[in-house]
Amino acid sequence: MAYIQLDGGWLEQLQGEFDQPYMQSLRAFLQSEKDQGKTIYPKGSEYFAALNSTPIEAVKVVILGQDPYHGPGQAHGLCFSVREGFAPPPSLVNIFKEISSDLNIPNEFQHGCLSNWARQGVLLLNSVLSVEQQQAASHQGKGWETFTDKIIEVLSHEREGCVFLLWGSYAQKKGSVIDSTRHLVLKAPHPSPLSSYRGFFGCKHFSACNEYLLDLGKTPIDWASLSS
């Protein structure tokens, strides 16, 4: 994080965070991990990929994830998303199944890269923005959560009429600060195979999201489109 490249609108809202003690501690931790030769995902230039892909003024929908994928080459800074050429992980497979069922469209997703959702205004935000290779949750509690809490707080206060998709207890707890009088907050179990059958399947969040956006005169999200 020596050279922070962040979208101007986000930087205006978040620049004060980079001088805070927690962020300095996080920076030192990440440098120490690299000095020890550990492999960190995603690469440093992609820590803020979600913010740079979806400027604050463009945010219409927020999906909250937890940690980046920790397998080689998968993570690229967008929650639930993997680079093209990598098989969609189980949770993303279930997200695609629910989209197909909810919107009554064929399940013909060709890959698991969600960059086109981000370009349409879907902020794909993990709570923790880095992880050690093959060590799930290894960077939890190091400071990222404070930073991403601030992002959610900023969105709640500075924007109006956003849709927050909170899947699983972790995301729901993190999203407890959202002002539901200004935004639509949709909650369901996590799409993981361990919990998807407890109510993620059938939650119909994707159609509910688009109906809300249409009611506000906003362009709905083309959830079926993964092309650039």
Side-chain angles (χ1 to χ4, degrees):
M1 289 195 298
Y3 302 101
I4 298 165
Q5 295 184 339
L6 191 58
D7 169 80
W10 282 116
L11 186 59
E12 182 180 348
Q13 294 290 337
L14 300 170
Q15 58 187 352
E17 299 302 299
F18 293 99
D19 296 324
Q20 296 297 317
Y22 83 85
M23 186 61 78
Q24 295 172 13
S25 176
L26 172 59
R27 187 181 288 112
F29 165 74
L30 291 170
Q31 187 60 53
S32 174
E33 293 288 280
K34 292 175 183 177
D35 290 346
Q36 294 175 57
K38 295 180 179 179
T39 299
I40 307 301
Y41 297 130
K43 58 186 179 182
S45 61
E46 293 177 327
Y47 288 164
F48 305 119
L51 301 178
N52 289 328
S53 299
T54 313
I56 185 170
E57 66 273 10
V59 175
K60 294 189 285 189
V61 183
V62 182
I63 298 178
L64 288 184
Q66 192 162 348
D67 294 275
Y69 297 120
H70 54 79
Q74 291 178 299
H76 62 122
L78 307 179
C79 75
F80 291 106
S81 180
V82 290
R83 299 181 192 280
E84 289 193 50
F86 290 84
S91 291
L92 183 54
V93 169
N94 286 340
I95 289 170
F96 289 160
K97 287 180 180 178
E98 176 58 21
I99 291 173
S100 175
S101 172
D102 181 13
L103 303 181
N104 194 27
I105 58 175
N107 189 345
E108 296 177 344
F109 297 94
Q110 299 299 311
H111 57 79
C113 181
L114 307 181
S115 294
N116 195 44
W117 291 3
R119 285 189 288 268
Q120 294 182 70
V122 182
L123 181 65
L124 296 163
L125 182 67
N126 274 317
S127 176
V128 177
L129 303 185
S130 63
V131 70
E132 181 183 347
Q133 177 178 287
Q134 304 298 0
Q135 300 294 324
S138 52
H139 289 187
Q140 287 187 8
K142 304 299 183 182
W144 280 128
E145 293 93 339
T146 303
F147 182 68
T148 52
D149 282 348
K150 179 66 175 180
I151 294 170
I152 296 167
E153 179 185 320
V154 165
L155 285 169
S156 181
H157 291 158
E158 299 297 325
R159 296 299 312 280
E160 194 161 354
C162 294
V163 182
F164 289 83
L165 304 182
L166 307 181
W167 300 329
S169 58
Y170 185 95
Q172 290 162 22
K173 182 178 179 181
K174 190 172 183 69
S176 62
V177 300
I178 300 164
D179 184 349
S180 59
T181 67
R182 294 166 58 89
H183 306 280
L184 176 64
V185 179
L186 299 175
K187 301 178 182 179
H190 195 276
S192 160
L194 298 175
S195 55
S196 55
Y197 288 93
R198 297 205 299 263
F200 178 78
F201 289 137
C203 69
K204 299 188 179 298
H205 278 185
F206 303 97
S207 59
C209 170
N210 280 351
E211 288 168 11
Y212 179 79
L213 294 175
L214 283 168
D215 286 345
L216 294 178
K218 298 181 180 183
T219 303
I221 306 301
D222 183 355
W223 296 107
S225 176
L226 299 182
S227 60
S228 57

